[in-house]
Amino acid sequence: MEIKVPELAESITEGTVASWLKQPGDHVEKGEAIVELETDKVNIEVPSEEAGTLTEVMAAEGDTVRVGETIAIISAGGEAPKPAAAEPVQETPKETPKAEEKAEQPVAVAATESTSVADRPIASPAARKLAREKGIDLAQVATQDPLGRIRVQDVATFEVAPREQAKPAPTKPATPAPAPAAAPGKPEERIKMSRRRKTIANRLVEVQQTAAMLTTFNEIDMSAVMALRKRRQEKFVKENEVKLGFMSFFTKAAVAALKKMPYLNAEIQGDEIVLKKFYDIGIAVSAPDGLVVPVVRDADKKNFAEIEKDIIQLAVKARDNKLGLSDLTGGTFTITNGGTFGSLMSTPILNGPQVAILGMHAINLRPVAIDAERMENRPMMYVALSYDHRIVDGKEAVTFLKHIKDLLEDPESLIFEA
């Protein structure tokens, strides 16, 4: 049975092999995931449609594969055929005793008999990747594995021999040799960008090239919010089994401000402005492969507890690479909290095609003038609003931030606003 790259999502035609969850020779149950694919937005596990043994993988980790492409072969059957696969290797010397006279011939026979129907040696994805980088033909690689599977160490050991023979010239240009020449004696490491990181990079550059982005700032005295959380936290946790965090306050305040400034909850399509009459708020969270922005749906219709639960659930899925496309698409406005990493101030980049993004920052005690004669240390937060100046004017942006400031400095007012 062939394992093919499934339909990934609308407009996504290819992905990258993130990791093989099973190796050649492993038994696979029906419905068990055998490979994880990374797309521009999410990671997808591809399951086997029937039980059997994984006999061959046709793409290494890091390879780009297209929808419909065959990437593995599974032989049907309930048990992994380990004894059967080992017998030909043991019987070969008996049938061809002359092969023992030459050191490399038994290896060649074992490799040939261990190949799949596609006549390719069985090798781990990492071994295939290393072989490609070194320009090594896997059919010539010796292996100590009783099933004839080629491992990374086999390829690494094999590469010594070609260098002693007259074949190093074709392989040297494929290695990253020029790098040390530019900085002799200086250590460095080259890491290939993941598909998601490249997508993030391309989209950020695209936003900066297509939008007239501008950022405005304000600061919020967080004393009232912190006092309210302290008073209500214990009861809130008992009733909702989740803590009352800052994000729910900012989400509710953002929704209230968006209702007053609808052009910030919009996008540009050609020569038209599309005003969104719903409030699906993207919350930027850190994932293993970079920043992702899952969406809290219908935030205007949810209470504080529901918003907090949604954010926690999405953050956990992001850390575990379990976000689906439905979790990431369709947001109308984004909130990002650099304060979790200690950021004091920044200019967030738009999450296209959205036209505005709110940036939260660290809460620090700062001296604040209470009146002409008094100063007090207050927990203050700088907030930033980046917006597309093509449809959002400075007046609207400043008014938006001011409204959020007013709501959070009097948090009980959120009950009547959003």
Side-chain angles (χ1 to χ4, degrees), residues 27-266:
H27 178 66
V28 180
E29 295 290 345
K30 181 179 180 180
E32 188 175 10
I34 62 172
V35 63
E36 183 180 20
L37 301 179
E38 180 186 29
T39 71
D40 294 345
K41 295 182 177 180
V42 295
N43 282 25
I44 297 173
E45 291 184 349
V46 180
S48 174
E49 295 181 359
E50 59 183 72
T53 301
L54 179 61
T55 57
E56 182 181 12
V57 295
M58 299 178 177
E61 294 178 0
D63 282 358
T64 297
V65 293
R66 300 186 64 83
V67 172
E69 179 180 342
T70 300
I71 55 175
I73 293 178
I74 291 182
S75 62
E79 299 292 337
K82 292 184 178 179
E87 288 178 5
V89 181
Q90 296 171 354
E91 294 177 1
T92 299
K94 298 179 183 178
E95 296 175 0
T96 57
K98 293 182 181 180
E100 297 178 0
E101 298 175 5
K102 296 183 180 180
E104 295 184 0
Q105 281 189 359
V107 175
V109 172
T112 301
E113 293 183 356
S114 300
T115 56
S116 70
V117 292
D119 248 3
R120 289 170 45 138
I122 297 179
S124 69
R128 290 190 183 278
K129 182 177 181 181
L130 181 60
R132 282 199 303 274
E133 292 174 352
K134 302 297 183 183
I136 295 174
D137 182 0
L138 286 174
Q140 300 177 8
V141 177
T143 177
Q144 301 299 319
D145 187 274
L147 300 182
R149 294 177 293 190
I150 300 171
R151 306 289 185 176
V152 175
Q153 53 267 36
D154 299 324
V155 179
T157 303
F158 178 82
E159 68 175 328
V160 177
R163 286 180 181 173
E164 296 174 351
Q165 299 169 4
K167 288 189 176 181
T171 60
K172 281 186 178 179
T175 61
K186 302 293 185 181
E188 62 181 27
E189 181 182 4
R190 291 174 181 261
I191 301 174
K192 185 177 180 182
M193 292 177 69
S194 68
R195 171 175 293 274
R196 191 168 303 143
R197 173 54 63 184
K198 286 189 289 187
T199 300
I200 292 171
N202 292 335
R203 289 182 177 174
L204 292 178
V205 171
E206 181 184 358
V207 166
Q208 290 187 311
Q209 291 176 340
T210 58
M213 196 175 76
L214 190 63
T215 305
T216 186
F217 300 89
N218 210 320
E219 63 177 349
I220 300 174
D221 183 346
M222 298 294 292
S223 301
V225 170
M226 295 175 72
L228 177 60
R229 289 178 68 239
K230 185 175 181 180
R231 292 197 310 270
R232 301 283 186 173
Q233 190 69 271
E234 185 176 351
K235 182 178 180 182
F236 189 88
V237 171
K238 285 182 179 180
E239 293 180 348
N240 302 291
E241 298 182 343
V242 64
K243 286 187 176 181
L244 178 59
F246 291 112
M247 289 304 303
S248 54
F249 284 94
F250 276 85
T251 301
K252 298 294 283 185
V255 169
L258 288 171
K259 289 180 177 180
K260 292 185 178 297
M261 304 292 162
Y263 276 76
L264 279 84
N265 197 55

Side-chain angles (χ1 to χ4, degrees), residues 263-275:
Y263 276 76
L264 279 84
N265 197 55
E267 68 177 81
I268 298 174
Q269 293 182 4
D271 59 355
E272 293 182 332
I273 299 172
V274 181
L275 300 178

Side-chain angles (χ1 to χ4, degrees), residues 379-411:
M380 305 297 294
M381 175 194 287
Y382 290 118
V383 288
L385 179 74
S386 292
Y387 57 98
D388 192 338
H389 211 347
R390 290 179 297 172
I391 66 170
V392 179
D393 294 330
K395 177 183 177 182
E396 292 174 296
V398 172
T399 304
F400 178 90
L401 271 189
K402 181 62 167 57
H403 192 54
I404 286 183
K405 172 183 171 69
D406 292 341
L407 289 173
L408 293 176
E409 291 183 350
D410 179 20

